Amino acid sequence: MGQDYYAVLGLGRGASTADIQRAYRRLALRTHPLKCREPGAQERFRQLAEAYDVLGDPARKGVYDRFGEEGLKGGIPLGHGDEAAWTAGYVFHNNPDKVFKEFFGGDNPFAEFVAEDGSEVVVPFGGRRGLGVLKRDPPVVRDLHLSLEDLFHGCTKKIKISRRVMNEDGQTSTIRDKILTIDVQPGWRQGTRITFEKEGDQGPNVIPADITFVVQEKPHARFRRAADDLTYVATIPLGKALVGCAVEVRTLDGRLLNIPINDVVHPKYCKVVPGEGMPLLKDPTRRGDLLIRFDICFPKRLPADKKTLLKSALLS
C-alpha cells in the first residue's frame, strides 16, 4: 500500500490548500533538525517535505488524489491502447531543506519567525513567498565525459536536461526538457568547468540554480595525458632495446609517426617528440610533447649458444 501523504500531515482527504500549508508549517517548524533532537525527527522532517512537495503542487496533488502513490511515481497513460504514452513518474529530490527554505525563505529558518521576547511571529500561510524573499538554490554540478579526441579537435556536445519551469499562474510548475549546447575547445583539460547561469529548477521566490558541467577525461587506449603532454608506451624486445629500432605511433588526428630510436633503451629511458602532444588552449596552433616510454620484453629462456654469443658481445 502506498504512502498516505494526507496522514503524514495529519489531514483528511478533503483538506484545502490552506489546510495543507498550515499543517506543513506547524509540523516542519516542530521537527526541523535545528530545533528537534528526538530520535526519528530527521526522517519525520523528510516525510513532511515529500508530503508537502506532492500536496502543495496542484498537478501532483491531482494525480495523487486520483491514482495514489503508485500512479504518481510510476506514471499514468496519456491515451488509450498498448502504444499510449505515459507521463514521467514523480521522484522526490530527497532534499527536505530545499522544500523548507522555499516555503519559509532564509538560511536561518527560525531567525525571521521569532520575536525579541522569544515568542513566535505569525507568518502568512504559504510562508514568506509573497513577501519578496528570494532564495538561490546551490549550483547543480554534473560530469561531462569527453574522449581525448574530443579534447584534441574540439567538438559540440548537446545535453538534454529536465527542469521545473513555473507556469503563468506563478504558483504551479511543469517539468520541461531543454537542450544545452557546449562548444568544447581544443586543449580543454580535466576539471574545466562550464556554467549555465540560472538553468536549474524554477520556483516561487526562488532564483534558479546555475548548472555547471565539469570535464572528465575518458581513459584512452593508447595515450595518457599530463597537462599538454601525451605519453605512449611502446613494447619492444630486449634485442631492439639494445641495438635500436623504429616505433610507430598513430596520433589522435590519424597520422602514423615513425620514430627512430638510436639510443640504448634502459628501463627509465624516455624519447621526447616535440609538438606531438595536445593543443595549447591559449594557442591551439602549438602543441605539447609526445613522450614515448618503453616496456622491454625479456626472453623467458636462452639457449646455451646464444648465451655464449651474448657473453662474447657484452662482456668482452
Side-chain angles (χ1 to χ4, degrees):
M1 184 175 179
Q3 291 190 72
D4 187 340
Y5 291 124
Y6 288 97
V8 171
L9 292 173
L11 299 170
R13 288 274 172 169
S16 66
T17 299
D19 293 332
I20 293 168
Q21 293 173 345
R22 184 186 297 110
Y24 175 73
R25 177 181 179 276
R26 174 174 54 82
L27 295 172
L29 285 172
R30 180 186 301 172
T31 60
H32 193 285
L34 291 178
K35 188 173 182 180
C36 182
R37 302 295 183 180
E38 297 177 2
Q42 190 165 0
E43 174 59 20
R44 172 69 171 155
F45 183 64
R46 191 203 67 78
Q47 292 173 352
L48 289 168
E50 181 175 348
Y52 182 74
D53 196 48
V54 173
L55 299 182
D57 183 283
R60 287 195 288 268
K61 180 178 181 296
V63 174
Y64 175 74
D65 286 345
R66 185 175 179 185
F67 299 99
E69 186 189 18
E70 183 177 351
L72 177 72
K73 295 185 175 180
I76 59 175
L78 294 173
H80 301 284
D82 295 337
E83 302 299 323
W86 285 62
T87 62
Y90 165 77
V91 178
F92 182 53
H93 50 63
N94 209 32
N95 187 350
D97 287 328
K98 178 181 177 181
V99 176
F100 188 92
K101 290 176 181 179
E102 286 183 0
F103 186 91
F104 290 105
D107 283 325
N108 183 344
F110 301 102
E112 300 180 11
F113 310 128
V114 178
E116 292 183 359
D117 61 1
S119 61
E120 187 175 331
V121 176
V122 176
V123 179
F125 295 125
R128 303 185 64 87
R129 290 177 175 174
L131 304 183
V133 178
L134 292 178
K135 185 64 184 171
R136 183 154 198 171
D137 285 340
V140 177
V141 180
R142 297 182 179 180
D143 288 336
L144 176 64
H145 295 277
L146 299 173
S147 67
L148 277 183
E149 285 82 2
D150 291 335
L151 297 168
F152 183 89
H153 296 286
C155 63
T156 298
K157 296 290 185 181
K158 294 185 179 294
I159 301 172
K160 184 171 75 171
I161 63 169
S162 296
R163 63 175 188 156
R164 189 169 298 283
V165 178
M166 293 300 298
N167 297 324
E168 293 182 359
D169 60 12
Q171 293 297 321
T172 62
S173 59
T174 305
I175 298 294
R176 296 179 184 171
D177 292 338
K178 183 173 183 178
I179 301 297
L180 301 180
T181 300
I182 299 176
D183 292 320
V184 178
Q185 301 300 308
W188 274 5
R189 297 182 180 181
Q190 173 110 348
T192 298
R193 301 172 74 89
I194 310 97
T195 297
F196 293 86
E197 295 185 350
K198 300 180 182 179
E199 290 290 357
D201 289 340
Q202 299 176 0
N205 290 335
V206 172
I207 301 175
D210 294 343
I211 298 180
T212 297
F213 293 92
V214 182
V215 171
Q216 304 292 340
E217 292 178 3
K218 295 179 182 178
H220 198 271
R222 299 193 305 280
F223 300 108
R224 286 185 296 105
R225 182 183 183 183
D228 299 316
D229 296 334
L230 294 174
T231 297
Y232 176 82
V233 177
T235 300
I236 60 173
L238 175 61
K240 290 186 177 182
L242 296 175
V243 303
C245 62
V247 174
E248 291 186 343
V249 181
R250 181 71 65 180
T251 64
L252 290 172
D253 56 358
R255 293 174 295 118
L256 185 63
L257 302 179
N258 194 295
I259 312 297
I261 308 297
N262 300 316
D263 302 316
V264 173
V265 178
H266 54 78
K268 295 183 179 181
Y269 178 80
C270 177
K271 177 70 174 181
V272 179
V273 184
E276 291 293 349
M278 295 293 291
L280 306 187
L281 182 58
K282 294 183 179 180
D283 183 3
T285 63
R286 299 173 55 208
R287 297 179 185 172
D289 297 333
L290 171 64
L291 311 179
I292 303 178
R293 300 189 179 276
F294 294 87
D295 180 14
I296 303 171
C297 295
F298 284 75
K300 294 182 179 179
R301 58 181 296 277
L302 282 175
D305 58 337
K306 290 188 176 180
K307 286 184 179 180
T308 300
L309 290 173
L310 285 174
K311 288 179 181 179
S312 175
L314 299 176
L315 301 179
S316 59

